[in-house]
Amino acid sequence: MAWSPDKTEVKSWNEWDTLRHVIVGRADDCHIPPEEPALDAKVPEDSDMRGQWGRRPQETIDRANELLDNFADQLRKRGVRVDRPVSIDHSQPVTTPDFHTDSQFGCMPPRDVLLTVGHEMLEATMSYRCRWFEYLNYRPLLKQYWEEDPRFRHEAAPKPRLTDADYHPDYLSEKIGDAQRLEWAAEKFFVTTEEEPLFDAADVLRFGKDLVVQHGFTTNLKGIEWLRRHFPDHRVHTVNFPGDPYPIHIDATFTPLRPGLIVNNPQRRLPEEQRGMFEKNGWEIVDAAQPAHNTPPPLCYSSTWLSMNVLVLDPKTVCVEKSEVYQAEQMDKLGMEVVEVELRDAYAFGGGLHCCTADVYRDGDCEDYFP
Ligand code: ARG
């Protein structure tokens, strides 16, 4: 049955079929959280964020919200239904029997927390203490979907304990250096241990029957095994990108655009031995264009490669950040119509166009692209 705006239905099997309904995050009350093991390991060593924490400056919150609101309106004008989360008070500390942290993170970006697979939305375990309660920002929406769509499966992965046993102390030093980090990444030695299953939703890409999951700082092997057991009808593939000294979240590294075509970060190429399933099935993996910027914006966790963090609206149309001219040009050459969206001043809140959204409904069914 065709999608109708008057009826809520949750369904999305991949990253590219026509998008009908989406969640766009909010910058309200976002905080730079205090130090904690998994987060510190991820903050780039030369970043302006080291040693700083607290509520983000109000003018940056207002500006990011303006851009996110505009993006939501732009999507609505194209006929996409857009929902927004309800921000909780992120200044509240988090205390469990196992850990304490003095503040939370925000309700950005939704892609990190919510994994939509078919008729299910799964709240990820998360791996930062400051993000332990982040799902609460989305609960009013998920509650609504659950009440309105009888097929909707609202699931939550087991909450992790996040004691110190979850983190390798070697990663806690101030200065590790990129050479050491790259060596560790090549050995698949990351900040998170195998104490318990951990995953962030943004480490997962959906290709119909196949889920491709990055093993790195935010997702461990037990997290991937948990996903495998949770989705028994899927094939779950583990991937690594050894060129990335800060491997978190796959969506500035490996970006499928449509069946048969993926852009890959040229500094973080998928290793030869992990390319088999794509090559055998005639998929092309092309190097992404260079970012238009030499540095990320102020107080930003991510790299300049948010350039390739695009949101695919349908197999012929893609949203690209407005200043990312090289990425837009490449999309055009690859036969995609480009929708420009201004978002750079919101990057500091956790990411780009793919990160700041979470799928609720895309057309299409669960297909096997790698038979
Ligand atoms: N690790 C990426 C980079 O800095 C950022 C990914 C952000 N993605 C997300 N879903 N928050 O290159």
Side-chain angles (χ1 to χ4, degrees):
M1 222 178 54
W3 183 78
S4 139
D6 311 317
K7 195 171 153 279
T8 299
E9 195 182 338
V10 176
K11 176 176 75 79
S12 176
W13 292 104
N14 59 48
E15 307 288 332
W16 55 78
D17 270 335
T18 302
L19 182 72
R20 304 284 185 186
H21 185 180
V22 76
I23 298 172
V24 172
R26 280 189 198 279
D28 298 20
D29 195 43
C30 277
H31 278 63
I32 298 173
E35 293 185 350
E36 62 164 289
L39 189 68
D40 290 0
K42 154 52 197 170
V43 178
E45 292 184 17
D46 53 358
S47 168
D48 56 350
M49 302 184 77
R50 290 237 158 198
Q52 295 215 46
W53 64 278
R55 195 173 194 273
R56 286 183 178 267
Q58 189 60 43
E59 61 283 6
T60 66
I61 292 179
D62 293 343
R63 171 68 177 148
N65 267 336
E66 181 189 332
L67 295 176
L68 290 163
D69 291 351
N70 290 346
F71 180 32
D73 283 343
Q74 233 177 322
L75 291 169
R76 285 190 185 110
K77 285 204 188 91
R78 303 184 70 94
V80 179
R81 175 172 156 192
V82 181
D83 287 336
R84 309 297 299 278
V86 180
S87 178
I88 59 169
D89 174 2
H90 303 116
S91 69
Q92 290 184 87
V94 176
T95 305
T96 74
D98 293 312
F99 69 81
H100 170 85
T101 178
D102 277 321
S103 95
Q104 302 181 47
F105 191 91
C107 58
M108 264 289 280
R111 189 71 64 177
D112 298 1
V113 186
L114 300 174
L115 177 64
T116 311
V117 176
H119 301 280
E120 167 171 339
M121 283 174 110
L122 171 66
E123 295 166 4
T125 67
M126 310 308 283
S127 54
Y128 296 173
R129 293 168 178 168
C130 60
R131 304 191 76 175
W132 208 82
F133 277 124
E134 204 162 305
Y135 65 95
L136 291 177
N137 295 285
Y138 305 99
R139 276 289 170 95
L141 288 174
L142 270 65
K143 180 175 188 280
Q144 183 195 342
Y145 302 158
W146 194 85
E147 278 162 7
E148 294 177 2
D149 175 5
R151 285 179 80 183
F152 173 46
R153 291 164 53 92
H154 177 181
E155 297 273 357
K159 292 306 283 175
R161 301 192 63 166
L162 303 185
T163 65
D164 289 346
D166 274 308
Y167 311 105
H168 284 297
D170 306 39
Y171 264 102
L172 304 185
S173 121
E174 277 277 301
K175 285 261 171 255
I176 298 167
D178 273 6
Q180 177 69 75
R181 283 172 178 275
L182 288 169
E183 219 174 278
W184 283 346
E187 292 162 15
K188 300 177 194 172
F189 173 71
F190 302 117
V191 62
T192 39
T193 65
E194 293 294 338
E195 175 69 13
E196 58 181 340
L198 296 176
F199 67 95
D200 279 13
D203 282 314
V204 184
L205 290 173
R206 301 153 310 138
F207 292 75
K209 217 178 151 38
D210 294 82
L211 300 173
V212 172
V213 191
Q214 167 171 244
H215 172 211
F217 283 7
T218 37
T219 295
N220 63 11
L221 292 173
K222 284 196 176 148
I224 299 175
E225 176 58 20
W226 190 89
L227 287 164
R228 189 171 283 127
R229 294 187 201 181
H230 183 71
F231 293 114
D233 299 333
H234 278 75
R235 291 177 296 237
V236 176
H237 309 269
T238 306
V239 291
N240 298 95
F241 300 95
D244 187 358
Y246 301 93
I248 82 156
H249 303 155
I250 195 168
D251 55 358
T253 299
F254 204 62
T255 304
L257 296 179
R258 59 179 184 240
L261 182 62
I262 298 169
V263 290
N264 186 187
N265 187 318
Q267 290 177 1
R268 312 173 187 166
R269 289 202 182 99
L270 184 68
E272 224 30 75
E273 66 276 10
Q274 295 179 9
R275 287 174 177 248
M277 68 183 265
F278 299 105
E279 281 168 358
K280 268 190 241 125
N281 289 281
W283 283 59
E284 217 188 327
I285 302 178
V286 301
D287 278 354
Q290 286 297 311
H293 304 272
N294 295 323
T295 50
L299 297 179
C300 182
Y301 292 104
S302 307
S303 72
T304 53
W305 289 100
L306 289 181
S307 54
M308 55 181 294
N309 189 260
V310 299
L311 181 71
V312 176
L313 297 184
D314 65 56
K316 290 194 166 84
T317 316
V318 63
C319 296
V320 180
E321 207 286 325
K322 195 166 172 215
S323 66
E324 295 296 346
V325 287
Y326 306 123
Q327 191 54 80
E329 186 185 64
Q330 179 186 36
M331 291 298 171
D332 182 65
K333 286 201 184 115
L334 292 170
M336 303 289 287
E337 189 207 321
V338 172
V339 177
E340 288 182 356
V341 180
E342 200 179 351
L343 200 78
R344 186 167 156 88
D345 292 342
Y347 279 5
F349 291 76
L353 292 160
H354 188 260
C355 309
C356 79
T357 54
D359 288 17
V360 182
Y361 189 99
R362 286 181 188 264
D363 285 352
D365 293 315
C366 182
E367 291 193 31
D368 188 350
Y369 300 95
F370 305 97

